[in-house]
Amino acid sequence: MKHILLFGPPGAGKGTQAQLLVDKYKFIHLSTGDMLRDEIKRATDTGLKAKAIIDNGQLVPDEIVAEMVRSRIKNMKNDKVGIIFDGFPRTIAQARKLDEIMNAENQQISLMIAIDVHDDEIIKRIIERGKISQRSDDQDVITIKNRIDTYNNQTSVLADYYRQQGKFKSVAGIGAIEDIFAEICKIIDDSRKS
Ligand code: AMP
């Protein structure tokens, strides 16, 4: 079974591409950002802890996020379907946790697909998205810059983690959504042949 990590800075288009991949390949979409926003909406303990951190553009502690992912994967009924991970892992510690979680299920990550977009473009995109999404962390430039710094300082190193395992691929994230999608599909289809 192919389990794929969609990777890239905030605003790269991971959520959009994940949705298209779900429609085409029937993957299960696992977005830790969506899960955390749901916890906040339901005012759970996790949600209450996460809100201020998210609004600051920082990362929710590894243990909290990894536990959410572990329980979601454990409760998946259909283990024949691939998972598309969107926004997880975001630190080396999370990547190691994910290996543990997947090993316990006799599964593994097949591929990381990174969507490359330059910082200036990202800021413009997130501000535009914020007008529609109403996401609190999409509203001001300081939070958005913090998120980009967090990505550059803590998350971008994950590319090497998966590159060393021969699992890393990337696409340019600039241009039409359909064209980027076609490139991602090609990577997935090629990997299925091997
Ligand atoms: P996203 O929707 O993926 O952009 O995530 C929105 C925010 O949720 C991030 O800026 C983080 O504060 C938090 N978050 C989402 N996924 C993670 C993760 N894997 N680890 C830590 N924090 C996360």
Side-chain angles (χ1 to χ4, degrees), residues 126-149:
I126 297 182
I127 288 173
E128 277 311 303
R129 176 174 75 184
K131 292 180 190 161
I132 303 160
S133 73
Q134 306 297 328
R135 268 177 60 168
S136 55
D137 59 344
D138 280 353
Q139 303 302 320
D140 72 280
V141 175
I142 294 182
T143 307
I144 297 169
K145 285 195 169 147
N146 283 346
R147 289 163 64 197
I148 295 172
D149 285 349

Side-chain angles (χ1 to χ4, degrees), residues 10-159:
K14 298 186 294 291
T16 306
Q17 295 296 337
Q19 196 48 58
L20 293 169
L21 292 168
V22 166
D23 293 343
K24 175 164 173 167
Y25 295 97
K26 312 296 170 216
F27 284 114
I28 293 172
H29 182 196
L30 192 158
S31 155
T32 43
D34 284 351
M35 290 164 83
L36 288 166
R37 282 184 286 277
D38 184 59
E39 298 279 346
I40 293 172
K41 207 155 66 186
R42 291 187 290 116
T44 62
D45 276 355
T46 300
L48 294 174
K49 277 186 209 139
K51 170 115 179 74
I53 301 173
I54 292 177
D55 286 346
N56 251 325
Q58 288 160 337
L59 293 182
V60 174
D62 291 332
E63 316 80 67
I64 294 183
V65 183
E67 199 37 54
M68 253 175 25
V69 171
R70 184 196 307 281
S71 97
R72 172 93 193 270
I73 290 179
K74 241 183 140 187
N75 291 326
M76 278 180 189
K77 300 255 180 321
N78 189 349
D79 61 3
K80 303 273 181 295
V81 182
I83 304 168
I84 191 105
F85 290 88
D86 159 7
F88 181 87
R90 263 176 153 98
T91 62
I92 295 283
Q94 290 181 18
R96 297 210 172 105
K97 275 275 171 222
L98 180 60
D99 288 341
E100 257 175 58
I101 295 169
M102 297 304 270
N103 283 341
E105 304 289 322
N106 280 322
Q107 301 285 323
Q108 59 164 324
I109 298 300
S110 313
L111 209 55
M112 166 181 268
I113 304 177
I115 308 176
D116 289 336
V117 185
H118 196 271
D119 288 3
D120 298 343
E121 169 70 17
I122 288 169
I123 297 176
K124 268 194 274 167
R125 278 194 202 178
I126 297 182
I127 288 173
E128 277 311 303
R129 176 174 75 184
K131 292 180 190 161
I132 303 160
S133 73
Q134 306 297 328
R135 268 177 60 168
S136 55
D137 59 344
D138 280 353
Q139 303 302 320
D140 72 280
V141 175
I142 294 182
T143 307
I144 297 169
K145 285 195 169 147
N146 283 346
R147 289 163 64 197
I148 295 172
D149 285 349
T150 302
Y151 175 82
N152 288 332
N153 295 332
Q154 296 183 62
T155 305
S156 59
V157 288
L158 283 176

